[in-house]
Amino acid sequence: MIDFRYHIVSIVAIFFALGAGVVLGAGPLKGTGSDIVAAQAAKDRDQLADARAELIQAKALDKYRDDYIAKVTSGLTDGKLVGKRIVLVTMPNADSDMTDAIQAAIEQAGGQVTTKVSLDGKLFDPGQRQLVEPLVNDLVTSDLQFPADSNTYQRAGMILARGVAAKEEAKTVDTEAVKIINGLSSAKLVSLKPTPKDRGSLVVVVAAKPPTPAPDNSSYNEAVDFAEGLDTASGGVVVAGMPESAQNGGFLKALRGNADATKGLSTVDVANLPSGQMTVVFALAEQAGGKAGQYGGIDAKNGVAPTADQVKGN
């Protein structure tokens, strides 16, 4: 046990140290503390200035890279999507600037965006399954056959595809499509702008940046099934997102982990960059030819973009 003498010695030592500090501060070491603080502050300022310079340089290089790609590759996508009608489907909280940039790239390539379909978060809310399932059954059309092993969200994707897309070009929005669009809109599961006159043959699904904290990849199971359903009932689907969406907790990461989905779907994980938006165009052209690939910079199975042969093709 520590006795009383130990505490006395400790207290005396503390006061001695304080006294020594006062003496030294008034004596030969006077000003040393402030000098050290000033020196450290100067060092910190220098480091901050260096960091700012590095950030400015990094931003300048990023801009150079993007401008260089845009200039050197200008025209590569021209004509790739001529005669193609494309539907843009945005996941809940998808980035609007990225969506607009993808649309611009599609139009630059000669494609026509028929409508933007915004998916509401309620669509994938487990608590809303009792709304989604009967609605899907109610909106099914006579010309739409569900695979026997399909689930509710695969069928929901097929239903939306029947409303705004088709496997072939030049399909109009008929009475069955109007019924589907009105049914999904009335249930506040989707919103469309503008109301389409023609159905697209290809679909781009724009993924959102993962929330913080990142969810488990399995939380996207319904969304993956939905995208797979869109692909089943259309001429092809490309899912586009930013790099974060291809990492753990992101939609593209979950989708790429589903072997059945990636047999038909294509993905691009750098759609926030000009080069990635061009890759979306190439991937759409590849989809129109009946092929799929996973492209980008984060664990992309098929590299940065479709092959040169695909790029040269029309």
Side-chain angles (χ1 to χ4, degrees), residues 253-286:
K253 177 70 172 182
L255 195 154
R256 287 173 172 176
N258 186 311
D260 290 332
T262 53
K263 287 178 183 177
L265 291 167
S266 294
T267 60
V268 178
D269 64 37
V270 285
N272 56 321
L273 301 175
S275 55
Q277 291 141 23
M278 291 175 56
T279 302
V280 171
V281 170
F282 295 139
L284 283 168
E286 187 179 48

Coordinates of all heavy atoms in Angstrom, one line a residue, residues 253-286:
K253 N -20.9 -2.0 -56.6 CA -20.1 -3.1 -55.9 C -21.1 -4.3 -55.7 O -20.7 -5.5 -56.0 CB -19.6 -2.7 -54.6 CG -18.9 -3.8 -53.8 CD -17.6 -4.2 -54.4 CE -16.8 -5.1 -53.4 NZ -15.5 -5.5 -54.0
A254 N -22.3 -4.1 -55.3 CA -23.3 -5.1 -55.1 C -23.7 -5.8 -56.4 O -23.8 -7.0 -56.5 CB -24.5 -4.6 -54.3
L255 N -23.9 -4.9 -57.4 CA -24.3 -5.5 -58.7 C -23.2 -6.3 -59.3 O -23.5 -7.4 -59.8 CB -24.7 -4.3 -59.6 CG -25.5 -4.6 -60.9 CD1 -26.3 -3.4 -61.3 CD2 -24.6 -5.0 -62.0
R256 N -22.0 -5.9 -59.2 CA -20.9 -6.7 -59.8 C -20.7 -8.0 -59.1 O -20.0 -8.9 -59.6 CB -19.6 -5.8 -59.8 CG -19.6 -4.7 -60.9 CD -18.4 -3.8 -60.8 NE -18.4 -2.9 -61.9 CZ -17.4 -1.9 -62.0 NH1 -16.5 -1.8 -61.1 NH2 -17.4 -1.1 -63.1
G257 N -21.2 -8.1 -57.9 CA -21.0 -9.3 -57.1 C -22.1 -10.3 -57.5 O -22.1 -11.4 -57.0
N258 N -23.0 -9.9 -58.4 CA -24.1 -10.8 -58.8 C -23.8 -11.3 -60.2 O -24.0 -10.6 -61.2 CB -25.4 -10.1 -58.7 CG -26.6 -10.9 -59.0 OD1 -26.7 -11.7 -60.0 ND2 -27.6 -10.8 -58.2
A259 N -23.4 -12.6 -60.3 CA -23.0 -13.1 -61.6 C -24.1 -13.2 -62.6 O -23.9 -13.0 -63.8 CB -22.4 -14.5 -61.4
D260 N -25.3 -13.4 -62.1 CA -26.4 -13.5 -63.1 C -26.7 -12.1 -63.7 O -27.0 -12.0 -64.9 CB -27.7 -14.0 -62.3 CG -27.6 -15.5 -62.0 OD1 -26.9 -16.2 -62.7 OD2 -28.2 -15.9 -61.0
A261 N -26.6 -11.1 -62.9 CA -26.9 -9.7 -63.3 C -25.9 -9.3 -64.4 O -26.2 -8.7 -65.4 CB -27.0 -8.7 -62.2
T262 N -24.6 -9.5 -64.1 CA -23.5 -9.0 -65.0 C -23.4 -9.8 -66.3 O -22.6 -9.4 -67.1 CB -22.2 -9.1 -64.2 OG1 -21.9 -10.4 -63.7 CG2 -22.2 -8.0 -63.1
K263 N -24.2 -10.9 -66.4 CA -24.2 -11.6 -67.7 C -24.9 -10.7 -68.8 O -24.5 -10.8 -69.9 CB -25.0 -12.9 -67.6 CG -24.3 -14.0 -66.9 CD -25.2 -15.2 -66.8 CE -24.5 -16.4 -66.0 NZ -25.4 -17.5 -65.8
G264 N -25.8 -9.9 -68.3 CA -26.5 -9.0 -69.3 C -26.3 -7.5 -69.1 O -26.3 -6.8 -70.1
L265 N -26.0 -7.1 -67.9 CA -25.8 -5.7 -67.6 C -24.4 -5.2 -67.8 O -23.5 -6.0 -67.6 CB -26.2 -5.4 -66.1 CG -27.7 -5.5 -65.7 CD1 -27.8 -5.5 -64.2 CD2 -28.5 -4.4 -66.3
S266 N -24.2 -4.0 -68.1 CA -22.9 -3.4 -68.2 C -22.8 -2.3 -67.0 O -23.9 -1.8 -66.6 CB -22.6 -2.7 -69.5 OG -22.6 -3.6 -70.6
T267 N -21.6 -2.1 -66.5 CA -21.4 -1.0 -65.5 C -20.2 -0.2 -65.9 O -19.3 -0.6 -66.5 CB -21.2 -1.7 -64.1 OG1 -20.0 -2.5 -64.2 CG2 -22.4 -2.5 -63.7
V268 N -20.3 1.1 -65.4 CA -19.2 2.1 -65.6 C -19.1 2.8 -64.3 O -20.0 3.4 -63.8 CB -19.5 3.1 -66.7 CG1 -18.4 4.1 -66.8 CG2 -19.7 2.3 -68.0
D269 N -17.9 2.7 -63.6 CA -17.8 3.3 -62.3 C -17.1 4.7 -62.3 O -16.7 5.1 -61.2 CB -17.1 2.3 -61.3 CG -15.6 2.0 -61.7 OD1 -14.9 2.9 -62.2 OD2 -15.2 0.8 -61.6
V270 N -16.9 5.3 -63.4 CA -16.2 6.6 -63.5 C -17.1 7.6 -64.3 O -16.6 8.5 -65.0 CB -14.8 6.5 -64.1 CG1 -13.8 5.9 -63.1 CG2 -14.8 5.7 -65.4
A271 N -18.4 7.5 -64.1 CA -19.3 8.3 -64.9 C -19.3 9.7 -64.5 O -20.0 10.6 -65.2 CB -20.7 7.7 -64.9
N272 N -18.6 10.1 -63.4 CA -18.5 11.5 -63.0 C -17.4 12.2 -63.8 O -17.2 13.4 -63.7 CB -18.2 11.6 -61.5 CG -17.0 10.8 -61.1 OD1 -16.7 9.7 -61.6 ND2 -16.2 11.4 -60.2
L273 N -16.6 11.5 -64.6 CA -15.5 12.0 -65.4 C -15.9 12.1 -66.9 O -16.7 11.2 -67.4 CB -14.2 11.2 -65.3 CG -13.7 11.0 -63.9 CD1 -12.5 10.1 -63.9 CD2 -13.3 12.4 -63.3
P274 N -15.4 13.0 -67.7 CA -15.7 13.0 -69.1 C -15.3 11.7 -69.8 O -16.1 11.3 -70.7 CB -14.8 14.2 -69.6 CG -14.7 15.1 -68.5 CD -14.6 14.2 -67.3
S275 N -14.2 11.1 -69.5 CA -13.8 9.9 -70.1 C -14.8 8.8 -69.7 O -15.1 7.9 -70.5 CB -12.4 9.5 -69.6 OG -12.3 9.4 -68.2
G276 N -15.3 8.8 -68.5 CA -16.3 7.8 -68.1 C -17.6 8.0 -68.8 O -18.3 7.0 -69.1
Q277 N -18.0 9.2 -69.0 CA -19.3 9.5 -69.8 C -19.2 9.0 -71.2 O -20.1 8.4 -71.8 CB -19.6 11.0 -69.7 CG -19.9 11.5 -68.4 CD -19.4 12.8 -68.0 OE1 -19.1 13.6 -68.9 NE2 -19.3 13.1 -66.7
M278 N -18.0 9.1 -71.8 CA -17.7 8.5 -73.1 C -17.8 7.0 -73.0 O -18.4 6.3 -73.9 CB -16.4 8.9 -73.6 CG -16.3 10.4 -74.0 SD -14.6 10.9 -74.5 CE -14.3 9.8 -75.8
T279 N -17.3 6.4 -71.9 CA -17.4 5.0 -71.7 C -18.8 4.5 -71.6 O -19.2 3.4 -72.1 CB -16.6 4.5 -70.5 OG1 -15.2 5.0 -70.6 CG2 -16.6 3.0 -70.3
V280 N -19.7 5.3 -71.0 CA -21.1 5.0 -71.0 C -21.7 4.8 -72.4 O -22.4 3.9 -72.7 CB -21.9 6.0 -70.2 CG1 -23.4 5.8 -70.3 CG2 -21.5 6.0 -68.7
V281 N -21.3 5.8 -73.3 CA -21.7 5.7 -74.6 C -21.3 4.5 -75.3 O -22.0 3.8 -76.0 CB -21.2 7.0 -75.4 CG1 -21.5 6.8 -76.9 CG2 -21.9 8.2 -74.9
F282 N -20.0 4.1 -75.1 CA -19.5 2.9 -75.8 C -20.1 1.7 -75.2 O -20.4 0.7 -76.0 CB -17.9 2.8 -75.5 CG -17.2 3.9 -76.2 CD1 -16.1 4.5 -75.6 CD2 -17.5 4.3 -77.5 CE1 -15.4 5.5 -76.2 CE2 -16.7 5.3 -78.1 CZ -15.7 5.9 -77.5
A283 N -20.4 1.7 -73.9 CA -21.1 0.5 -73.3 C -22.5 0.4 -73.8 O -23.0 -0.7 -74.0 CB -21.1 0.7 -71.8
L284 N -23.2 1.5 -74.1 CA -24.5 1.5 -74.7 C -24.5 0.9 -76.1 O -25.3 0.0 -76.4 CB -25.1 2.9 -74.7 CG -25.7 3.4 -73.4 CD1 -26.0 4.9 -73.5 CD2 -26.9 2.6 -72.9
A285 N -23.5 1.3 -76.8 CA -23.3 0.8 -78.2 C -23.1 -0.7 -78.1 O -23.6 -1.5 -79.0 CB -22.2 1.5 -78.9
E286 N -22.3 -1.1 -77.2 CA -22.0 -2.6 -77.0 C -23.2 -3.3 -76.6 O -23.5 -4.4 -77.1 CB -20.9 -2.7 -75.9 CG -20.4 -4.2 -75.8 CD -19.3 -4.3 -74.8 OE1 -19.4 -3.7 -73.6 OE2 -18.2 -4.9 -75.1

